[in-house]
Amino acid sequence: MGLSPRPESGLVAQQHGDEPWITTRLDLLVNWSRAKSLWPMPFGTACCAIEYMASAASKFDLARFGMERQSFSPRQADVLICAGRVPFKLAPVIRRIWQQMPQPKWSISMGACASTGGMFDNYAVVQGIDSIIPVDVYVPGCPPRPEGLIYGIMMLHEKIMRERSADTALRAEMEPDPRSQLYIPPPVIDEISEPFGNSVHQQRSGL
Amino acid sequence: MSERFQPVVVGRGVPDAAAPVSPKHVPHQGGAMNASVDALRTTFGDAIVRADVVWGETTVIVDPSRVLEVIRFLHDDPAQQYDYLSDVTAVEYRDLERPLEVVWHLRSLPMRRFLRLKALLPKGTPLAVPSVYEIYRGANWLERECFDMFGIEFTGHPDLRRLLMWEGYKEGHPLRKDFPLRGRFSRSEQLRQALAANPEARYSMEELSIADAFADLPADIRHRLAGGEATGE
Amino acid sequence: MATTKRTIEVELSTTGLDAQGRPRRTPLLATEGGQAVALDAPPGIEPDLEGEHMLINIGPQHPATHGVLRLVLELDGETVVRCIPHIGYLHCGFEKIGEYRQYNQIIPWTDREDYLNSPGNNVAFALGAERLFGIEITERCKVLRVIAMELSRIISHLVWLGTTAIDIGAYTPFLWLFQERERVYLLLESWIGARLTTSLTRVGGMGADIPDGWTEGLRHFVTTFPRTIDEVDAMLTRNAIWVGRTIGLSALSPEQAVNYGLSGPMLRAAGVAYDVRKDFPYLDYETYDFDVPVGSTGDVYDRYLVRLEEIRQSVRILEQALERLPDGPVNVDDPRVILPPKHKAMSDMESMIHHFKQVMEGPRPPIGEAYVAVESPKGEKGYYMVSDGTSKPVRWRIRPPSFVNLSAIPMLVEGHLLSDVIAINASIDIVMGEIDR
């Protein structure tokens, strides 16, 4: 014997006559419905895309998290999952796809390369897609295990549940500088993509 | 099915040869030289600069101006039959005085042979070698990549454009030794140039000319395309 | 009426605002003498569509391009007249970065170029580096590497089969085959600690010996796994849709295939029995008993059959490798390349200095060069390394099989229908990480 289960916070169902009814905050209802049926748009480029496929396949089954429908069109997607490295040649593509997605939209940067450039600190790779599009959740790993990706998705659920519809800034479209197309000032980009740690020593050829 | 299908067997030119085995204890220098080298020496004489065996593989250094003849001979001669082009690439050494090397890896499937051809292009001379596209169709992208990465011109290639980097990439040829690992420009400038590509004009000149659409483009895009800029391709 | 080829797919940008303040669209038909040709045909007359070729763009982000390939197709009706592939959307500078890393440090990069076949790439790179150092690896190491290569061939073909089946319209094989792939992931994970990017080898040996009981796990896998392949075989091979969409598609002659430099299942499906394992063997492959499946027409169906049979042959090789796996050391006893054991490095001064110099300066091969090719699931994969006596290669060249295979795609798809392009493209088994590098 124990206590009867507590009602879920914020959601109280009461029996009033024959009509069941619920009181809740509107935000909670909206956020709940958004979070529990996120349609992902997999922007798979490299190794992480294989782990993404493994997550979506039979063993890990992303459908358990409301992601049954993989949306391969950005126009019917809620969350952009950038799985894999993004070279400069691909940068305008991911920017374009992000702009094609309707609000509300979120993005997950899956893996070290998408988040920071990873081990590719060279002439070809963007040092983190957050210099191109805004990112909600970073999933570390090279590549992240499916459990890692699922944890990132759960974090995104949590983030969505905390959103307030009164906060209009949440849904504001990113507006890059029309001349440079950057939405972060160039000195900041240069600073955050400086080599650090061991990679400073690995700029030398020969020896 | 009236006629039984016959697969094309590798090593059909040398039916009596022993079955190939994995190489073991390969010496650094010396060892058996590829039999094709003698034929090359008798046919081309001075055009064969040097031939040596390193780690069991024969390298033949050829006069750059006669590469096409040599490869055509290797491909067509019934005693050689180098019908398979494995790779075309180039090597630049850290010693910037040393000439750039263009490397062809050829296989003779009927004779089961492997040969490496090299042409040395000294610095300061125009970096150009003849294209082998007419002999091996597989050379198409390999040569384009080599042009893209090293700036070596393959004369006679029908469509020598950048392959991996986009058209209008301004920083140079990435695999050259004077190209820094992180590129010539700052990160923000690299990103700006990449994002400045106009997504509306993502078709190359060639594709637009197929569609006869080039004339339909607005003047500013036409101008930018003609200047090789912002094709974003 | 003169028929001009015109595009109707190129999206033209707006050229400003019209009198009503709406964005003005450039007319889709060409202008003639500065005057836009009317879009509406006169009533009662059908617009003449003859000769109107359509330019259609697939990719770089499209689920059927297996990555970030971009194909621009010129269509006449539904028939492909011309195909222009664009690659390089995943160019990450592998070869450049290899010039800045020591030989053992390059191995993590080999994981990530052909990421479906990471263990196989690790082995191929280690073989090339060992040729450059003049090292003979131990017998146990050889057999372990054969196991790694064949496992990785299986998992690569599984992904190919699953995704190709999706492209052609069957979803179930994907789910079945990924279940099997997860079992291989478990095996690899218990061996080296990573699922996908394994970094399995080191110059002169392996990153780790297999743990206790691992061979039982592999034996269980090779006995139970063929059932799944049989199921997929039963589901697809005689399936009317599968057969209808693949047979006779983009048939190739052997001469064409060789001239285009194709390799792997693409070449063997065209009837050329070229397999690097048989013809330029390595790792004592000549002592294993296996067959090289060869197709007769080179069409998409043959490529499927060849790959299906290769999976079975890989299982055969795995069985033999399990039988002969000898005891003994995994790493060579060569202080030039192999680190001292951890317990000695932590207790003994000389070993610690040795360890430090190995890691910081790296082993130095003699001056020379080596091209070592292996049979990867996609074809002949070669690593060409040039050393100038320093600890970092002057040039690390990857000979990517699917790069050369993909370069034939204009020849393969031209004259076929648009829907067949997807099937043909899938049958090449491309991995953009390897193509763009």
Side-chain angles (χ1 to χ4, degrees), chain C residues 46-216:
Chain C
E46 288 288 313
D48 183 10
L49 291 174
E50 264 182 4
E52 286 217 348
H53 284 195
M54 185 194 249
L55 202 63
I56 200 165
N57 180 58
I58 304 181
Q61 171 54 38
H62 187 278
T65 54
H66 294 222
V68 286
L69 170 68
R70 176 169 168 236
L71 296 173
V72 177
L73 303 168
E74 186 187 357
L75 299 180
D76 181 6
E78 268 197 75
T79 313
V80 178
V81 181
R82 192 165 160 179
C83 165
I84 303 174
H86 292 267
I87 64 169
Y89 286 97
L90 202 55
H91 175 65
C92 294
F94 280 82
E95 293 177 6
K96 182 79 176 173
I97 225 160
E99 297 166 9
Y100 292 77
R101 296 289 186 274
Q102 297 159 9
Y103 289 87
N104 272 326
Q105 289 176 336
I106 293 177
I107 286 171
W109 266 270
T110 62
D111 290 337
R112 285 154 182 85
E113 32 116 340
D114 177 358
Y115 37 78
L116 297 180
N117 176 37
S118 303
N121 295 341
N122 301 152
V123 174
F125 180 83
L127 285 175
E130 279 147 10
R131 177 77 59 80
L132 211 52
F133 278 91
I135 293 172
E136 288 295 317
I137 53 173
T138 63
E139 286 302 314
R140 183 175 172 84
C141 184
K142 274 183 195 166
V143 180
L144 285 181
R145 284 183 180 185
V146 167
I147 291 175
M149 291 207 88
E150 297 308 319
L151 267 183
S152 98
R153 189 182 321 280
I154 289 175
I155 58 176
S156 172
H157 280 340
L158 292 186
V159 172
W160 173 81
L161 194 50
T163 51
T164 304
I166 291 182
D167 285 350
I168 296 184
Y171 192 70
T172 317
F174 172 76
L175 296 175
W176 291 353
L177 295 171
F178 255 77
Q179 227 153 11
E180 295 300 325
R181 209 177 140 92
E182 285 292 338
R183 291 171 61 193
V184 181
Y185 278 160
L186 272 181
L187 284 173
L188 287 174
E189 201 178 358
S190 59
W191 182 358
I192 195 74
R195 286 156 56 89
L196 187 65
T197 45
T198 46
S199 299
L200 193 60
T201 57
R202 301 290 182 272
V203 178
M206 307 295 278
D209 199 348
I210 50 172
D212 292 340
W214 196 84
T215 46
E216 278 71 58

Side-chain angles (χ1 to χ4, degrees), chain C residues 181-433:
Chain C
R181 209 177 140 92
E182 285 292 338
R183 291 171 61 193
V184 181
Y185 278 160
L186 272 181
L187 284 173
L188 287 174
E189 201 178 358
S190 59
W191 182 358
I192 195 74
R195 286 156 56 89
L196 187 65
T197 45
T198 46
S199 299
L200 193 60
T201 57
R202 301 290 182 272
V203 178
M206 307 295 278
D209 199 348
I210 50 172
D212 292 340
W214 196 84
T215 46
E216 278 71 58
L218 181 60
R219 194 162 279 132
H220 177 68
F221 174 74
V222 296
T223 45
T224 51
F225 162 71
R227 269 211 307 268
T228 312
I229 287 302
D230 292 341
E231 276 177 353
V232 175
D233 190 2
M235 191 164 167
L236 294 180
T237 308
R238 293 283 174 266
N239 182 312
I241 300 173
W242 185 266
V243 169
R245 288 209 53 187
T246 55
I247 264 187
L249 205 55
S250 85
L252 268 178
S253 73
E255 294 76 28
Q256 256 182 326
V258 170
N259 197 254
Y260 271 88
L262 306 187
S263 51
M266 288 282 285
L267 182 62
R268 289 193 284 276
V272 183
Y274 170 50
D275 186 320
V276 187
R277 292 175 293 178
K278 286 275 188 204
D279 299 308
F280 298 92
Y282 51 94
L283 289 176
D284 293 342
Y285 261 111
E286 69 273 14
T287 58
Y288 292 86
D289 180 25
F290 66 101
D291 301 325
V292 177
V294 173
S296 55
T297 60
D299 61 2
V300 177
Y301 188 68
D302 268 355
R303 290 171 207 156
Y304 156 73
L305 289 182
V306 165
R307 289 201 177 95
L308 204 63
E309 186 55 34
E310 272 188 17
I311 295 177
R312 296 201 170 107
Q313 295 299 330
S314 288
V315 171
R316 260 179 86 186
I317 298 174
L318 281 176
E319 282 165 356
Q320 295 169 43
L322 275 173
E323 284 305 311
R324 68 166 74 175
L325 182 64
D327 289 332
V330 176
N331 293 343
V332 290
D333 185 20
D334 189 340
R336 279 187 308 158
V337 291
I338 294 298
L339 294 173
K342 199 76 184 171
H343 65 92
K344 281 181 86 177
M346 301 302 272
S347 60
D348 175 33
M349 193 62 188
E350 285 73 25
S351 301
M352 198 181 102
I353 293 172
H354 177 208
H355 187 286
F356 179 79
K357 285 180 84 72
Q358 270 301 340
V359 172
M360 292 308 289
E361 293 175 6
R364 290 161 192 246
I367 294 174
E369 56 196 322
Y371 175 84
V372 173
V374 302
E375 182 70 30
S376 98
K378 281 111 204 143
E380 177 190 333
K381 166 145 229 158
Y383 284 114
Y384 174 51
M385 278 171 265
V386 185
S387 156
D388 62 351
T390 60
S391 63
K392 297 170 181 174
V394 169
R395 177 94 171 91
W396 168 46
R397 160 77 180 161
I398 308 162
R399 191 268 182 193
S402 47
F403 175 85
V404 186
N405 289 353
L406 182 68
S407 74
I409 196 172
M411 180 262 290
L412 294 175
V413 302
E414 275 162 20
H416 291 282
L417 297 182
L418 176 60
S419 54
D420 292 339
V421 171
I422 302 300
I424 295 169
N425 180 41
S427 75
I428 300 176
D429 191 9
I430 55 171
V431 171
M432 291 318 284

Side-chain angles (χ1 to χ4, degrees), chain B residues 8 22 24-25 28 57 86-87 89-90 94 118 135 145 176-177 179 202 206-207 210 233, chain C residues 70 74 82 86 96 99 136 259 271 273-274 284 286 367 369 371 380 393-395 397 399 437:
Chain B
V8 181
S22 308
K24 287 195 182 64
H25 300 289
H28 183 193
E57 289 159 358
S86 274
D87 200 5
T89 184
R94 294 196 177 101
K118 275 187 180 181
I135 307 170
E145 189 200 346
R176 296 292 293 272
K177 284 285 186 276
F179 187 94
R202 295 188 63 81
E206 189 197 4
E207 286 149 10
I210 295 174
E233 178 264 327
Chain C
R70 176 169 168 236
E74 186 187 357
R82 192 165 160 179
H86 292 267
K96 182 79 176 173
E99 297 166 9
E136 288 295 317
N259 197 254
Y274 170 50
D284 293 342
E286 69 273 14
I367 294 174
E369 56 196 322
Y371 175 84
E380 177 190 333
V394 169
R395 177 94 171 91
R397 160 77 180 161
R399 191 268 182 193
R437 299 183 304 293

